[in-house]
Amino acid sequence: MAEPNNKELPEVIVLGIPWFLKFYGQQFSQNFKLLKPWESSLPLEQFITTHAQSVKAMLCSGGTRVNPSFLSQFPSLRVIVTTSAGLNHMDLSECRRLGISVANAGTIFSEDVADCAVGLLIDVLRKITAADGFVRNGLWPMNVVYPLSSKVGGRKVGLVGLGSIGLKVAKRLEAFGCIISYQSRKKKPVPYPFYPDVHQLATKCDVLVICCALTDQTRHLINKEVLLALGKEGIIINIARGPIINEMELVQCLMQGEIAGAGLDVFENEPNVPEELLSLDNVVLSPHVAYLTEESFQDLYELMSGNLEAFFFNKPLLSPVLDD
Amino acid sequence: MAEPNNKELPEVIVLGIPWFLKFYGQQFSQNFKLLKPWESSLPLEQFITTHAQSVKAMLCSGGTRVNPSFLSQFPSLRVIVTTSAGLNHMDLSECRRLGISVANAGTIFSEDVADCAVGLLIDVLRKITAADGFVRNGLWPMNVVYPLSSKVGGRKVGLVGLGSIGLKVAKRLEAFGCIISYQSRKKKPVPYPFYPDVHQLATKCDVLVICCALTDQTRHLINKEVLLALGKEGIIINIARGPIINEMELVQCLMQGEIAGAGLDVFENEPNVPEELLSLDNVVLSPHVAYLTEESFQDLYELMSGNLEAFFFNKPLLSPVLDD
């Protein structure tokens, strides 16, 4: 793959403008001829029509909706490599039916996302972002009484989903003295109490950390009833996908004091964040960046590049989701 | 101590307006007759003169400077209970010479302070407070590229001081995959590499977490040379005492990019924070509240109250510093 002649490089259509190309685009272009609609003078639809008949490989991000009508435009497509860990944007059974292999980010974001979940929880409990605003607004010398924050240790934390991220959140929070339990489709070989039902988990916990995949089953899994079960001292952390929570009901519960606070990296209608949240000081808001570190982007570049090289060399994908 | 008649309750002079009295003052007053200068019409000096001859017990906070001339005003004083864990405000040898017992907050704040140290470090590395500002200022939908943050795991963290707080910081950060080493007056029975010299520690580390006591030996221990040794990717967390860092040199290093960021709960001249820090987005600032949770205040009330009861019942203090 070291040939410098761009014409001989294998073609990869890039949809959704994966962020990491802003950092690793040049390195990527040494091995692949990237077909980038945003650099073309053609409108997106026409750009796709121009390349869709022949292109075999696609690099996309979590924002690209890969459904049957989308796929029908690419009769030669054999592999899709998505920069996301989540696969809720893709119709996997249609990919399988068409014989298209899929690779994703696997678990390379798990540590960073788990770190962020814990960071958001400490931040909400210990009011760190609020404290920073207090100091920057000059309130400290004015003898304003700073509100008491809440201890991390001893808190009963319920993990909604116990995959790669959930396990890492559990490990970190145990070191703080938190008491872990979890909800999942099935019981796992871990020492934490298991609740098959999220409402039941909420009644037993002070904190819910959402770390499950977004599927038809988990959409709006966290609704008003679950939030009321969590209770007035309850805190929600979401580093998974926005639509797992009924956002309208969450906003109502936060505004009416039905729960105590939230740390949210994801939202239902990104990049739009409900206006009401912007003025609340018991929430910490983050623009879907829990996975986003220099180190994870280096890893992502290597994994995406490695998957595409593997495909063009007829080798097994490095992080296959379906590999027919 | 259950007598309701205030005149029969033992007298305790309260100096420095300990914050927790705002929350537990009423409960405290059921067991002790609190002499509170801030509720008196007398000026502080006159108030002290009025009570100083007879009062045997004093409750003070970290802001009360207990030096020989201060102590010479209280000939009957036999016990000082300070709400602080740090003792840098007190002349302990003079207390010992005068036969005054001293009790402090012991280690009851250690967990909360360690949690805050970790929270500040995650916040600086993962830019959580900055992310919150980004979202609240409406920049997300405007396609502004959010800067990459830095991974917590794998970071080499040097603890300056390895007492009760340092050990708890180490335990927490190990769960994130950080690599711990420490500087201390002497080597401790722990598995972490020991450096007797803080400059040497800084050359080996990406992060310094200050968790030692403020003494004549540690004042300005962290100076420009140490910060330059830490380097351009370096981060400083201080949850101990402001004057352990040469703040002017820290501000210069932050402004000139000689280190990457800082999370500061304490400052040299509290409650005044250097103006230059207020506009930097690579620092997280907090108004000396790392110890401040509902839970720690409940514990503090019980410990302070228990120490005073022990004194008046001629029992050993619960958290003695000197108990002659």
Side-chain angles (χ1 to χ4, degrees):
Chain A
M1 315 291 288
E3 291 298 310
N5 186 338
N6 197 33
K7 284 191 184 139
E8 293 175 25
L9 294 175
E11 285 187 342
V12 177
I13 191 164
V14 186
L15 295 175
I17 324 183
W19 271 42
F20 80 101
L21 284 186
K22 292 186 176 146
F23 302 91
Y24 291 98
Q26 208 174 353
Q27 280 166 268
F28 226 87
S29 297
Q30 289 170 7
N31 289 336
F32 306 100
K33 183 179 177 187
L34 299 179
L35 307 173
K36 297 182 272 194
W38 66 92
E39 288 183 357
S40 162
S41 57
L42 298 176
L44 178 61
E45 213 163 312
Q46 208 178 327
F47 180 88
I48 287 177
T49 317
T50 307
H51 298 285
Q53 292 301 312
S54 60
V55 74
K56 287 183 183 145
M58 178 185 291
L59 178 65
C60 73
S61 67
T64 314
R65 218 169 143 214
V66 180
N67 56 25
S69 74
F70 173 85
L71 287 167
S72 69
Q73 300 174 87
F74 300 92
S76 304
L77 201 63
R78 286 296 160 266
V79 68
I80 300 178
V81 179
T82 176
T83 58
S84 61
L87 293 158
N88 52 290
H89 59 304
M90 299 185 70
D91 185 332
L92 291 179
S93 55
E94 183 69 0
C95 290
R96 183 187 292 273
R97 197 184 70 76
L98 296 168
I100 299 171
S101 302
V102 176
N104 72 344
T107 60
I108 60 170
F109 298 134
S110 299
E111 288 191 345
D112 286 331
V113 173
D115 292 348
C116 231
V118 174
L120 286 169
L121 178 57
I122 301 176
D123 201 314
V124 173
L125 285 169
R126 300 303 312 275
K127 303 184 192 294
I128 291 179
T129 293
D132 184 80
F134 183 89
V135 173
R136 288 184 200 251
N137 291 326
L139 296 177
W140 194 6
M142 294 173 76
N143 243 328
V144 177
V145 173
Y146 192 76
L148 287 180
S149 63
S150 301
K151 198 183 189 72
V152 179
R155 220 142 283 264
K156 287 171 280 179
V157 177
L159 303 172
V160 180
L162 195 73
S164 169
I165 295 171
L167 284 169
K168 289 179 169 64
V169 172
K171 180 186 171 194
R172 284 153 177 72
L173 288 179
E174 277 195 292
F176 290 83
C178 292
I179 300 148
I180 309 293
S181 53
Y182 72 105
Q183 178 271 340
S184 185
R185 275 167 302 174
K186 47 187 177 184
K187 201 171 181 313
K188 312 229 171 177
V190 292
Y192 316 124
F194 165 66
Y195 296 93
D197 176 65
V198 79
H199 187 277
Q200 203 185 348
L201 181 75
T203 60
K204 301 283 184 186
C205 288
D206 311 314
V207 175
L208 290 183
V209 181
I210 315 303
C211 29
C212 58
L214 172 61
T215 64
D216 288 345
Q217 286 71 46
T218 64
R219 186 175 299 272
H220 283 196
L221 179 68
I222 308 299
N223 56 21
K224 191 175 175 183
E225 287 79 59
V226 174
L227 295 171
L228 293 179
L230 189 61
K232 290 188 190 298
E233 301 292 312
I235 287 169
I236 284 272
I237 304 296
N238 192 3
I239 43 70
R241 285 289 182 274
I244 298 169
I245 301 181
N246 183 323
E247 195 171 75
M248 206 182 70
E249 295 183 359
L250 172 64
V251 169
Q252 282 171 359
C253 285
L254 282 166
M255 296 195 51
Q256 291 163 6
E258 297 293 350
I259 66 168
L264 305 170
D265 184 54
V266 290
F267 302 86
E268 271 209 79
N269 186 27
E270 296 172 9
N272 300 303
V273 174
E275 190 72 23
E276 299 91 330
L277 293 181
L278 303 182
S279 56
L280 293 180
D281 61 2
N282 57 341
V283 299
V284 180
L285 307 169
S286 164
H288 201 149
V289 292
Y291 68 105
L292 196 72
T293 64
E294 288 178 37
E295 291 82 355
S296 69
F297 263 33
Q298 168 80 35
D299 293 346
L300 183 65
Y301 159 67
E302 286 168 12
L303 185 64
M304 298 293 101
S305 178
N307 272 306
L308 288 167
E309 290 194 17
F311 167 76
F312 287 114
F313 279 117
N314 286 313
K315 289 183 178 170
L317 297 181
L318 302 184
S319 52
V321 177
L322 294 169
D323 203 359
D324 307 65
Chain B
M1 314 291 286
E3 291 300 309
N5 186 338
N6 198 34
K7 283 190 184 141
E8 294 175 22
L9 294 176
E11 285 186 342
V12 177
I13 191 164
V14 185
L15 296 176
I17 322 183
W19 271 43
F20 80 101
L21 284 186
K22 292 184 177 148
F23 302 92
Y24 291 98
Q26 209 175 351
Q27 280 166 267
F28 226 87
S29 298
Q30 289 170 7
N31 289 335
F32 306 99
K33 182 179 178 186
L34 298 180
L35 306 173
K36 296 182 272 193
W38 67 91
E39 288 183 357
S40 162
S41 55
L42 298 176
L44 178 61
E45 213 163 311
Q46 209 179 325
F47 180 88
I48 287 177
T49 316
T50 308
H51 297 285
Q53 292 301 312
S54 60
V55 74
K56 288 182 181 147
M58 178 185 291
L59 178 65
C60 73
S61 67
T64 313
R65 220 170 140 213
V66 180
N67 56 25
S69 73
F70 173 86
L71 287 167
S72 69
Q73 301 174 88
F74 301 91
S76 304
L77 200 63
R78 287 295 161 266
V79 68
I80 301 177
V81 179
T82 175
T83 58
S84 61
L87 293 158
N88 52 290
H89 58 304
M90 299 184 72
D91 185 331
L92 292 179
S93 55
E94 182 69 1
C95 290
R96 183 187 292 273
R97 196 183 71 75
L98 295 169
I100 299 171
S101 301
V102 176
N104 71 345
T107 60
I108 60 171
F109 298 134
S110 300
E111 288 191 345
D112 286 331
V113 173
D115 291 349
C116 230
V118 175
L120 285 170
L121 178 57
I122 302 176
D123 202 314
V124 173
L125 284 169
R126 300 302 312 276
K127 304 183 193 292
I128 292 179
T129 293
D132 184 80
F134 183 89
V135 173
R136 288 185 200 250
N137 291 325
L139 296 177
W140 194 7
M142 294 174 76
N143 244 327
V144 178
V145 173
Y146 191 76
L148 288 179
S149 63
S150 301
K151 198 182 188 74
V152 180
R155 219 142 283 263
K156 288 170 279 178
V157 177
L159 303 172
V160 180
L162 194 73
S164 169
I165 294 171
L167 284 168
K168 290 180 169 62
V169 172
K171 180 186 172 193
R172 283 152 177 73
L173 287 179
E174 277 196 293
F176 290 82
C178 292
I179 300 147
I180 309 293
S181 53
Y182 73 105
Q183 177 271 340
S184 186
R185 275 167 302 174
K186 47 187 177 183
K187 200 171 183 312
K188 312 229 170 176
V190 292
Y192 315 124
F194 164 66
Y195 297 94
D197 176 65
V198 77
H199 187 277
Q200 204 187 347
L201 182 76
T203 61
K204 301 283 184 185
C205 287
D206 311 313
V207 175
L208 290 183
V209 181
I210 316 303
C211 30
C212 59
L214 173 61
T215 64
D216 288 344
Q217 286 72 46
T218 63
R219 187 175 298 273
H220 284 197
L221 179 67
I222 308 299
N223 56 23
K224 192 175 175 182
E225 287 79 59
V226 174
L227 295 170
L228 293 178
L230 189 62
K232 289 187 189 301
E233 302 293 312
I235 287 169
I236 284 271
I237 303 297
N238 192 2
I239 43 71
R241 285 290 183 272
I244 299 169
I245 302 181
N246 182 323
E247 196 171 76
M248 205 182 72
E249 295 183 358
L250 172 64
V251 169
Q252 281 171 359
C253 285
L254 282 166
M255 296 195 50
Q256 291 163 6
E258 298 291 352
I259 66 167
L264 305 170
D265 184 53
V266 290
F267 302 86
E268 271 210 78
N269 185 26
E270 295 173 8
N272 299 303
V273 174
E275 191 71 23
E276 298 92 328
L277 294 181
L278 303 183
S279 56
L280 293 180
D281 62 1
N282 57 340
V283 298
V284 180
L285 308 168
S286 165
H288 201 149
V289 292
Y291 68 106
L292 196 72
T293 64
E294 287 178 37
E295 292 81 355
S296 70
F297 263 32
Q298 167 79 37
D299 293 345
L300 182 64
Y301 159 67
E302 286 168 10
L303 185 63
M304 298 293 102
S305 177
N307 272 306
L308 289 167
E309 290 194 18
F311 167 75
F312 287 113
F313 279 117
N314 286 313
K315 289 183 178 170
L317 297 181
L318 302 184
S319 52
V321 176
L322 295 169
D323 203 359
D324 308 65

